[in-house]
Amino acid sequence: MSTGHTASVRRVALTTVLAVVFATLVALVTTRGAHAAPPPEFERTLVADGLNEPTSFRFLPDGRIFVAEKAGAIKVIQNGQVGTTPVITLITRKHSGALLMLLWVAGFGARR
């Protein structure tokens, strides 16, 4: 091998090692931030019991709360009670993750 080729291989190896170290550090920093505790002035209050892996929720103007569960069920909490029957159950593919967000569009039913 020529001296120029050896130097080029070393630069590529060093760049690769540095990239791996940087990616590892980024992963460690972002993972730690994801598990941060809420501020001490926050209070934890049980709103309702009996949900199965809730992933998202939306408050409605009339006081009801729509809750999405990981398996796809959308349930309603009213006056602290979880409805016995889901409003709708969305079918998800196995291992597809979870329903991550609910969106409430005010007046949607009136516009149809």
Side-chain angles (χ1 to χ4, degrees):
M1 266 192 242
S2 69
T3 305
H5 181 68
T6 303
S8 177
V9 169
R10 285 184 181 159
R11 269 194 306 271
V12 169
L14 180 60
T15 302
T16 303
V17 168
L18 289 175
V20 169
V21 169
F22 179 75
T24 303
L25 289 173
V26 168
L28 288 173
V29 168
T30 56
T31 302
R32 287 184 185 180
H35 299 289
E41 64 271 12
F42 278 35
E43 291 184 27
R44 198 177 266 207
T45 303
L46 181 64
V47 175
D49 199 10
L51 295 165
N52 185 19
E53 296 182 286
T55 59
S56 181
F57 63 92
R58 286 292 176 261
F59 292 99
L60 275 60
D62 63 6
R64 294 179 296 161
I65 305 170
F66 277 41
V67 180
E69 294 182 333
K70 186 175 181 179
I74 309 294
K75 294 186 178 176
V76 178
I77 299 173
Q78 190 166 10
N79 300 322
Q81 300 296 315
V82 178
T84 56
T85 306
V87 174
I88 188 170
T89 300
L90 305 171
I91 298 175
T92 58
R93 295 186 320 193
K94 188 175 182 179
H95 306 297
S96 66
L99 182 61
L100 298 177
M101 184 186 307
L102 291 174
L103 178 64
W104 178 257
V105 179
F108 176 76
R111 296 183 196 158
R112 295 178 79 186

